[in-house]
Amino acid sequence: MQMTDAQKSGRGLSDRTLNRLIVGAIVALVIIVPLIGVVYFLDRSTDPGPSMAQRAVTTAEEAVRKEPNNVTARMALATSYLQSERYQDAVKQYGEVLKVVADHRGALLGRGNAFLLMDDPASATKDFERLVEIAAAGEQANADPQLEEAYFRLGDIAIRQSRYDDAVASLTKALAISRTDADAMNLLGAAYVKTGKAEDAVTVLKRAIAFVPTGWCEPYQNLADAYKALNNADGAAYASGMVSWCGGDAASAKLALAPLADGDLAVEAMLGLGQIAEMEGDVATATEMYTKVLAKDPQNSNAIFGMQRLGTASGDPHGSAVPAASSAPDASPSTGANP
């Protein structure tokens, strides 16, 4: 199962990509009209149907009619339009904000995301580069989520345009701000493969997978490419097997992973087999695999959490209690300007 560069980098309008763009727009608001914020949050969190999104737009439009010079109200309206896939309208409202506050960081980020959703990377790049110019000089630049998102998007665009060295530079800066951004790790791994740094790709892609081990195919496909570049047949078989599982072919995945359970990739293979078994409702096999993983890697957070999900009292082969959740990576997977 091969993917295009666009698919590998999480682009297109996949749920993950769209969610990140929308989250970026929420962060861009910074301060929002309370009612609009509540309506929007409920819509994204509970997904009750299109009527809620329309209510958010209606509320925001009314707020702008009452106070046309209120920048916060226009930002909320722009974000409501963006969520409702009215991208041209969103761009217009962000533009109105920028007429009043030329360097409004939230409007630059929001409009850049809207341009990307309109497949206009050139215009998006201008907004993101302007945001970087403004934010990089700030006192809190090393912890600025808007700056991180701008770097991420510039890296994303660079990969679209096959400018892989530029992508590495931008994504490295993004990860310096948010070291738990699994999306940035995935893109950086893809860029490393393209720039002949396959070992670096393996390292960063394994980190991405540690944060999001299931339900996300792109890091595994990128990892397969990296292992192939290193002529590592077992690594390529493991990653390709996980791609098969992610694509819904558990049988092929198990055939690929089973022979690796006694080799250098035993931990990865057994963890994959445990995850597959858990998803299939095979508690005995899942418990066996997770237990074997923990025998080799007692701090493996994904195996620990797997045992906890299965209701197993102890995941330690020596009989100690399952470590608490603090044994996991130090943050949940980032979704960018947050994921």
Side-chain angles (χ1 to χ4, degrees):
M1 180 184 297
Q2 294 297 315
M3 299 179 183
T4 65
D5 284 349
Q7 289 172 314
K8 292 176 185 177
S9 62
R11 296 187 301 272
L13 295 182
S14 67
D15 288 343
R16 187 177 185 89
T17 302
L18 181 57
N19 285 344
R20 180 168 180 132
L21 286 166
I22 295 298
V23 168
I26 294 173
V27 173
L29 280 173
V30 183
I31 301 173
I32 56 177
V33 177
L35 177 59
I36 295 172
V38 169
V39 172
Y40 183 84
F41 176 78
L42 287 174
D43 183 43
R44 294 305 300 170
S45 300
T46 62
D47 193 25
S51 60
M52 184 67 81
Q54 183 55 48
R55 285 172 57 192
V57 169
T58 301
T59 302
E61 288 176 337
E62 180 61 25
V64 169
R65 277 193 292 270
K66 289 180 179 178
E67 298 183 79
N69 296 322
N70 188 316
V71 168
T72 301
R74 285 198 180 274
M75 284 292 294
L77 177 56
T79 302
S80 296
Y81 283 148
L82 193 67
Q83 186 230 359
S84 298
E85 300 182 11
R86 293 172 59 176
Y87 305 134
Q88 289 278 11
D89 290 334
V91 165
K92 180 179 179 179
Q93 291 303 317
Y94 287 128
E96 291 298 318
V97 172
L98 291 165
K99 288 178 182 178
V100 178
V101 185
D103 290 338
H104 194 291
R105 293 164 31 139
L108 288 168
L109 179 59
R111 190 172 70 175
N113 284 340
F115 278 134
L116 279 184
L117 289 164
M118 293 167 60
D119 196 23
D120 185 358
S123 296
T125 295
K126 292 178 182 178
D127 281 345
F128 294 139
E129 287 181 341
R130 179 56 183 156
L131 176 54
V132 167
E133 182 181 353
I134 298 165
E139 293 182 1
Q140 302 298 320
N142 63 346
D144 187 333
Q146 292 179 334
L147 179 59
E148 194 269 344
E149 182 69 6
Y151 280 134
F152 173 85
R153 287 299 166 198
L154 288 170
D156 183 10
I157 292 168
I159 289 182
R160 297 186 192 208
Q161 298 174 343
S162 300
R163 295 183 290 107
Y164 300 112
D165 287 325
D166 290 341
V168 168
S170 292
L171 294 164
T172 299
K173 291 175 182 177
L175 284 167
I177 297 172
S178 177
R179 61 193 179 92
T180 61
D181 187 341
D183 292 308
M185 294 173 200
N186 175 50
L187 290 191
L188 181 57
Y192 274 148
V193 172
K194 293 294 187 179
T195 55
K197 299 178 180 177
E199 290 185 0
D200 291 335
V202 169
T203 299
V204 74
L205 289 165
K206 282 186 173 182
R207 287 174 55 205
I209 289 166
F211 280 108
V212 190
T214 62
W216 187 23
C217 300
E218 289 92 341
Y220 288 113
Q221 181 61 67
N222 287 329
L223 184 60
D225 292 342
Y227 276 129
K228 289 174 184 176
L230 293 170
N231 295 315
N232 186 326
D234 285 351
Y238 157 71
S240 297
M242 295 303 288
V243 170
S244 294
W245 177 45
C246 187
D249 187 356
S252 293
K254 287 187 281 189
L255 286 174
L257 297 177
L260 306 175
D262 295 321
D264 293 338
L265 291 171
V267 168
E268 291 90 339
M270 290 188 296
L271 181 63
L273 289 167
Q275 291 165 337
I276 294 169
E278 182 183 352
M279 292 295 290
E280 292 180 334
D282 185 349
V283 174
T285 299
T287 300
E288 177 188 1
M289 291 296 107
Y290 290 147
T291 300
K292 289 181 177 180
V293 169
L294 291 168
K296 291 179 174 291
D297 180 7
Q299 299 303 313
N300 189 292
S301 60
N302 285 310
I304 291 168
F305 290 148
M307 295 290 266
Q308 291 175 341
R309 288 191 301 272
L310 294 170
T312 305
S314 173
D316 187 330
H318 302 295
S320 62
V322 174
S326 60
S327 298
D330 55 3
S332 298
S334 173
T335 54
N338 43 91

